């Protein structure tokens, strides 16, 4: 177990700036602080090949995924499904995908009661999901996260996360999906979430494209904005379902 530790300014040239978990590793990481760490994949923590750590009450700030393909500013998951509970992610950055968390190749972490603020990437300012990765995201707050291109808070590609009871406020994308971007047959379930003051060129809150079919239930949309089309939701070659929304 790793408890009450501080990891600051550590660097890996490839994976896991502070901690590297591989080959079915399951460490418990509790009450730790990760700040200013960097690597190409997983600025603070890299979970690889069926590794599923439990990460609780930790703070991740100003960690970075570097290099031209940098993914997962704080945490990178490949074929792994960590449990992340009651953690704070602020000011983390990825040069490419997942300013805070990258989920890749059948990674499906459970992320509960976490706060994501001012994280940034080209795609997926806070969380990036691809290649059949479907995280469960419950009771999280996303505020002020930004993507240079798509998915200010969450980006889904061929993935179908479950997003419940979350708040999205003031997130932004330069192009598509101020809060959530879905493409390539992604079908996230978005339930009892609040979207306010998010912005993009297209799809101020949610953008759906290329056979993506999100199910949006019991959500509230207010004050979201775009430069072009779809102040709240934009659909292109997609079939979302929206029920009992305001």
């Amino acid at each position: 177990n790793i408890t009450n530790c501080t990891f600051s300014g550590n660097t890996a040239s490839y994976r896991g700036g502070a901690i590297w978990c591989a080959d079915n590793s399951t460490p418990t990481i509790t009450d730790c602080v990760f700040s200013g760490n960097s690597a190409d994949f997983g600025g603070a923590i890299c979970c690889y090949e069926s590794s599923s750590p439990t990460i609780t009450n930790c703070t991740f700030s100003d960690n970075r995924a570097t290099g031209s393909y940098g993914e997962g500013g704080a945490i990178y998951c490949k074929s792994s499904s960590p449990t992340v509970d009651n953690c704070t992610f602020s000011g983390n950055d990825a040069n490419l995908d997942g300013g805070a968390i990258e989920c890749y190749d059948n990674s499906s972490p459970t992320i509960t009661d976490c706060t994501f603020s001012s994280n940034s990437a080209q795609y997926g300012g806070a969380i990036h999901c691809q290649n059949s990765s479907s995280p469960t995201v419950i009771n999280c707050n996303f505020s002020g996260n930004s993507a240079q291109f798509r998915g200010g808070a969450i980006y889904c590609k061929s993935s179908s996360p479950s997003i419940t009871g979350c708040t999205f406020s003031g997130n932004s994308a330069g192009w598509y999906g101020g809060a959530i971007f879905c493409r390539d047959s992604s079908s996230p379930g978005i339930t009892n979430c609040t979207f306010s003051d998010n912005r993009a060129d297209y799809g101020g809150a949610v953008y759906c494209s290329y056979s993506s079919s999100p199910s949006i239930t019991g959500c509230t949309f207010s004050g979201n904005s775009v430069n072009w089309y779809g102040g709240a939701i934009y659909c292109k070659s997609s079939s979302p379902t929206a029920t009992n929304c305001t």
Side-chain angles (χ1 to χ4, degrees), residues 88-137:
T88 299
F89 298 84
S90 63
N92 302 286
D93 174 77
N95 276 0
L96 187 61
D97 298 333
I101 298 175
E102 166 70 19
C103 307
Y104 185 77
D105 276 357
N106 295 293
S107 293
S108 297
T110 299
I111 304 166
T112 307
D113 295 321
C114 292
T115 298
F116 296 84
S117 62
S118 301
N119 303 287
S120 60
Q122 291 190 40
Y123 303 92
I127 298 174
H128 186 277
C129 315
Q130 62 179 326
N131 293 11
S132 301
S133 294
S134 297
T136 298
V137 185

Side-chain angles (χ1 to χ4, degrees), residues 31-131:
D31 296 321
C32 292
V33 174
F34 297 85
S35 64
N37 303 287
S38 64
D40 281 3
F41 299 90
I45 298 174
C46 182
C47 309
Y48 203 75
E49 302 303 342
S50 302
S51 294
S52 298
T54 298
I55 304 167
T56 307
N57 298 333
C58 292
T59 299
F60 297 84
S61 62
D62 302 317
N63 301 286
R64 187 169 185 188
T66 56
S68 57
Y69 296 101
E71 299 180 2
I75 299 173
Y76 176 90
C77 311
K78 181 179 180 183
S79 305
S80 298
S81 298
T83 298
V84 184
D85 182 59
N86 199 34
C87 293
T88 299
F89 298 84
S90 63
N92 302 286
D93 174 77
N95 276 0
L96 187 61
D97 298 333
I101 298 175
E102 166 70 19
C103 307
Y104 185 77
D105 276 357
N106 295 293
S107 293
S108 297
T110 299
I111 304 166
T112 307
D113 295 321
C114 292
T115 298
F116 296 84
S117 62
S118 301
N119 303 287
S120 60
Q122 291 190 40
Y123 303 92
I127 298 174
H128 186 277
C129 315
Q130 62 179 326
N131 293 11

Side-chain angles (χ1 to χ4, degrees), residues 183-187 208-214 236-239:
R183 66 169 293 172
D184 294 352
S185 300
S186 294
S187 299
C208 316
S209 66
Y210 302 114
S211 301
S212 292
S213 301
K236 178 181 179 181
S237 303
S238 298
S239 302

